[in-house]
Amino acid sequence: MDDISPRPLSPRPLSSPVGTAERLAALRAELDSRGLDGFLIPRADEHQGEYVSPRAERLLWLTGFSGSAGLAVVLRDSAAIFVDGRYTLQAEQEVDTALFTPRHLTEEPAGPWIAERLKGGKLGYDPWLHTADQVDRLAGALKRSGASLVAAEPNPLDSVWTDQPDPPLAPVVVHALTFAGEPSAEKRSRIAGDLRRQGVAAAVLTMPDSIAWLLNVRGGDVPRTPLPLSFALIDDEGQVDWFVDDRKITDEVPAHLGNAVRVRRPDEFATVLAGQSGRKVLVDPAGAAQWVFARLEEAGAEVQRGDDPCLLPKARKNPTELAGARAAHRRDGVALTTFLAWLTQAAPAGGVTELAASDRLYDLRARGDRFRDLSFDTISGSGPQSAVIHYRVTPKTDRELKPGELYLVDSGAQYLDGTTDVTRTIAVGEASPEMRRRYTLVLKGHIAIATARFPEGTSGSQLDSLARRPLWEEGLDFDHGTGHGVGSYLSVHEGPQRISKVPNRVALKPGMIVSNEPGYYKPGAYGIRIENLVAVQPAESRPGDERKMLVFETLTLAPLDRSLIELSLLDEAEIRWVDDYHKRVERELAPLLEAPVAAWLRDAVAPLEKG
């Protein structure tokens, strides 16, 4: 993170404790010295981002858990780690459960667990690492037990993490108009107009991807996502104060930004917030740190809680960004199809490991034009590891792909013109009848989303059950969302739209890109997921339509494993969808593939009726 305001320092021990038990003991000693009965350690940074710099990996340092979402609660005599359904198996594998009890974040929320154990005590939290909404919910849960929530600065964990990495200083570069499709000045003018219509004088922007989108810049402060960590304040005239370490600013950036954007030191952020007295300032309670709200309220500003004004415009890709996404997916499809051609021949022969497969796929992607990085660490899981939803292979867990197992590879890349995310599940040798049946149920759910036709105003949560119905009919389900938003050479997980059981008031709108990724996971045995990215588009009008309708355009181009499809479970329309999709994959990719791979693809996408 950037050192964005003077944060009080405390003496540190000479060296960091090395083991989990020692680190936990050191933290408890620090809490005791401050009169705190407990402390919250979220997997978050000052920007509430999913991808954080090494400096902000506090949860990993304390517990060993490497997932992208989670919360540890440390009390005097007990501790727990709360994760969602994507990470339950992973937490059990990575965390010392004798020290931290794993809990399901949605089925066993942290608030009641803390309230039951903390009667009248003081629970500390770092106001930089929790949103205003999170603090409000937790304070409400603790109120019933008589416990209080106390802002703890400096962060007690930082006080015992003596070798904590320095803040990142990756260069900030201009994101060319060729890829952005709209000048920064026009974006700033649009946002300023929205603020004026709301009667708001300014908006605080704390999400680095919103700022990167608004200013047409990119960076490299966090893994796998081209973001410069920063904060900003935009006023109702489109003027921007940008709080970023000027050591990151490359020579091209000042001229690109112009005079309407003032680059300011990070430690001026608090001062500027203090100067908002009497002004109406928009802040997103779901994305901004509690610290921001506290500073504005202390300054006497009129705080208006509302969505980050960049969220919706950023989510609705313009024609240039959509064209870039299509081009990026063609290049990505070439890499993935070349990989699948190799894998289906090499894996059954033996000797292919999860790491080797992941490395080969990376090498193939890196050859592509405009490739900059992966969009997340590749999930490369075989056999029982494929049932770990967000499995991360390491040299310690690496295993060989074996005949009779399933191999799940969830991967993506960052290209200058688009971000990709795709999952394919592959049979190594011959799959069992149960595997084939459940793969086909997942495929039916995937097709249901891909072919959905829905009225304007529909949210993703209203579509989610379409993906689950085939599984539900056989008493099955999956413990993650069906789809998430995706950025344009930005975050692979982008809001505000999503397809999920969790209620979501954001309507799907043309230009939004979302994933379509139903799955099924049998712990200790195998996992299945089929993921394509889709773009929301206006539907062609039909006779009798009384409302404007929307559809999905599938962006991802890569063959499905036909050997896993139980044809008897598909109806004629579903068979036609698979065949049509495969025809398109071959039509768009074959001219770009090397001859042996094109020949393999021709067989891989043969019509199902002839399979």
Side-chain angles (χ1 to χ4, degrees):
M1 68 160 205
D2 296 316
D3 228 354
I4 44 185
S5 80
R7 299 187 67 167
L9 301 177
S10 61
R12 290 181 167 185
L14 295 178
S15 61
S16 284
V18 293
T20 301
E22 291 78 10
R23 291 173 178 179
L24 182 59
L27 176 58
R28 282 182 166 138
E30 178 68 19
L31 298 178
D32 188 61
S33 73
R34 300 194 194 189
L36 296 173
D37 300 292
F39 188 65
L40 303 173
I41 305 95
R43 204 307 189 145
D45 65 1
E46 289 76 359
H47 309 272
Q48 315 306 315
E50 178 180 5
Y51 294 95
V52 302
S53 74
R55 181 178 178 83
E57 289 281 13
R58 296 175 178 88
L59 187 62
L60 173 63
W61 181 84
L62 181 65
T63 69
F65 175 66
S66 64
S68 63
L71 169 72
V73 182
V74 174
L75 304 181
R76 290 184 181 275
D77 300 313
S78 59
I81 182 166
F82 296 82
V83 297
D84 63 40
R86 298 172 296 169
Y87 293 116
T88 49
L89 292 176
Q90 182 176 332
E92 291 172 0
Q93 293 174 355
E94 293 182 340
V95 175
D96 186 342
T97 56
L99 299 174
F100 295 90
T101 303
R103 297 282 177 174
H104 194 293
L105 188 60
T106 54
E107 296 176 2
E108 305 169 295
W113 185 89
I114 298 168
E116 184 180 331
R117 291 161 178 78
L118 194 63
K119 305 292 186 182
K122 295 180 179 180
L123 180 67
Y125 75 100
D126 184 337
W128 276 106
L129 304 183
H130 300 265
T131 68
D133 279 354
Q134 291 168 344
V135 171
D136 289 346
R137 286 194 298 268
L138 193 55
L142 293 183
K143 188 175 182 180
R144 293 186 291 273
S145 70
S148 59
L149 202 54
V150 179
E153 291 188 88
N155 187 307
L157 186 144
D158 292 356
S159 298
V160 298
W161 186 5
T162 57
D163 53 355
Q164 186 178 26
D166 292 331
L169 289 172
V172 176
V173 298
V174 173
H175 187 52
L177 186 60
T178 306
F179 306 119
E182 183 183 10
S184 173
E186 291 183 10
K187 293 179 179 180
R188 285 179 263 132
S189 177
R190 271 207 290 155
I191 299 302
D194 290 342
L195 298 182
R196 289 194 298 272
R197 282 187 287 275
Q198 295 181 60
V200 170
V204 178
L205 305 179
T206 65
M207 295 175 61
D209 55 337
S210 288
I211 300 168
W213 172 84
L214 179 70
L215 301 181
N216 283 346
V217 295
R218 299 294 187 267
D221 283 340
V222 299
R224 308 307 192 198
T225 307
L227 296 177
L229 296 182
S230 64
F231 294 88
L233 184 83
I234 181 170
D235 68 18
D236 57 2
E237 295 299 324
Q239 303 281 320
V240 174
D241 289 304
W242 187 23
F243 304 92
V244 61
D245 193 317
D246 62 9
R247 288 175 293 176
K248 302 178 186 180
I249 303 298
T250 54
D251 293 342
E252 62 181 342
V253 172
H256 160 73
L257 294 175
N259 295 330
V261 179
R262 297 175 290 271
V263 175
R264 307 187 65 157
R265 297 191 318 273
D267 61 10
E268 293 183 271
F269 187 40
T271 303
V272 170
L273 294 183
Q276 301 304 307
S277 176
R279 304 183 81 203
K280 183 181 285 189
V281 181
L282 176 67
V283 193
D284 189 341
Q290 172 67 18
W291 183 93
V292 174
F293 285 85
R295 298 293 81 75
L296 287 170
E297 288 165 1
E298 287 174 2
E302 182 183 348
V303 178
Q304 178 166 317
R305 296 188 172 210
D307 294 338
D308 177 328
C310 297
L311 279 182
L312 197 55
K314 172 167 58 70
R316 299 189 66 178
K317 310 299 182 284
N318 61 48
T320 298
E321 291 172 317
L322 287 174
R326 296 183 189 103
H329 277 88
R330 279 192 295 272
R331 293 193 299 276
D332 205 61
V334 167
L336 182 54
T337 300
T338 302
F339 168 79
L340 294 174
W342 165 79
L343 182 78
T344 54
Q345 297 174 46
V352 177
T353 69
E354 295 166 337
L355 272 177
S358 177
D359 289 346
R360 189 176 186 97
L361 180 53
Y362 173 85
D363 290 341
L364 290 168
R365 278 198 167 102
R367 299 174 191 173
D369 291 342
R370 298 176 176 172
F371 173 86
R372 288 299 179 267
D373 195 0
L374 299 180
S375 54
F376 56 97
D377 291 335
T378 297
I379 299 169
S380 176
S382 65
Q385 311 282 41
S386 64
V388 181
I389 296 172
H390 275 203
Y391 170 66
R392 181 181 295 179
V393 59
T394 67
K396 183 178 179 180
T397 64
D398 192 24
R399 68 190 297 275
E400 185 176 325
L401 281 60
K402 299 175 183 178
E405 293 183 340
L406 296 184
Y407 171 66
L408 187 154
V409 56
D410 185 346
S411 63
Q414 294 284 8
Y415 301 93
L416 285 172
D417 50 356
T419 300
T420 67
D421 181 4
V422 50
T423 308
R424 290 295 181 264
T425 304
I426 308 299
V428 181
E430 187 173 349
S432 70
E434 179 185 274
M435 292 173 179
R436 296 180 74 240
R437 183 174 187 86
R438 292 184 178 177
Y439 178 92
T440 307
L441 296 176
V442 172
L443 176 60
K444 287 171 73 70
H446 179 93
I447 295 171
I449 294 292
T451 58
R453 191 171 187 268
F454 49 96
E456 286 187 347
T458 301
S459 70
S461 55
Q462 292 173 293
L463 298 180
D464 181 76
S465 61
L466 297 178
R468 300 177 190 272
R469 181 178 175 181
L471 290 163
W472 285 352
E473 288 179 346
E474 299 206 6
L476 309 171
D477 202 356
F478 54 94
D479 203 0
H480 59 75
T482 297
H484 56 82
V486 177
S488 181
Y489 188 43
L490 279 172
S491 178
V492 74
H493 289 163
E494 177 182 89
Q497 77 279 14
R498 63 178 181 267
I499 304 174
S500 171
K501 287 181 180 179
V502 179
N504 182 2
R505 59 183 171 83
V506 178
L508 296 169
K509 294 180 179 293
M512 288 180 170
I513 295 176
V514 293
S515 65
N516 172 12
E517 52 179 309
Y520 168 75
Y521 310 91
K522 186 173 184 178
Y526 61 87
I528 296 162
R529 187 158 63 251
I530 303 170
E531 177 184 16
N532 287 343
L533 297 191
V534 298
V536 182
Q537 298 284 12
E540 291 186 7
S541 179
R542 294 177 182 173
D545 281 354
E546 296 182 353
R547 301 188 181 192
K548 292 182 179 180
M549 304 296 288
L550 302 173
V551 294
F552 290 122
E553 171 196 354
T554 296
L555 299 173
T556 304
L557 298 168
L560 304 166
D561 188 346
R562 289 165 60 255
S563 74
L564 281 170
I565 298 175
E566 180 56 60
L567 195 57
S568 64
L569 296 179
L570 299 183
D571 61 30
E572 289 184 5
E574 291 166 334
I575 292 171
R576 186 165 55 251
W577 182 91
V578 173
D579 287 343
D580 288 347
Y581 175 68
H582 276 161
K583 286 177 185 176
R584 180 181 162 220
V585 168
E586 183 180 17
R587 182 173 65 252
E588 296 203 33
L589 297 188
L592 307 175
L593 296 168
E594 295 181 358
V597 179
W600 174 87
L601 178 61
R602 190 178 308 114
D603 292 336
V605 299
L608 288 178
E609 294 88 347
K610 298 178 182 178

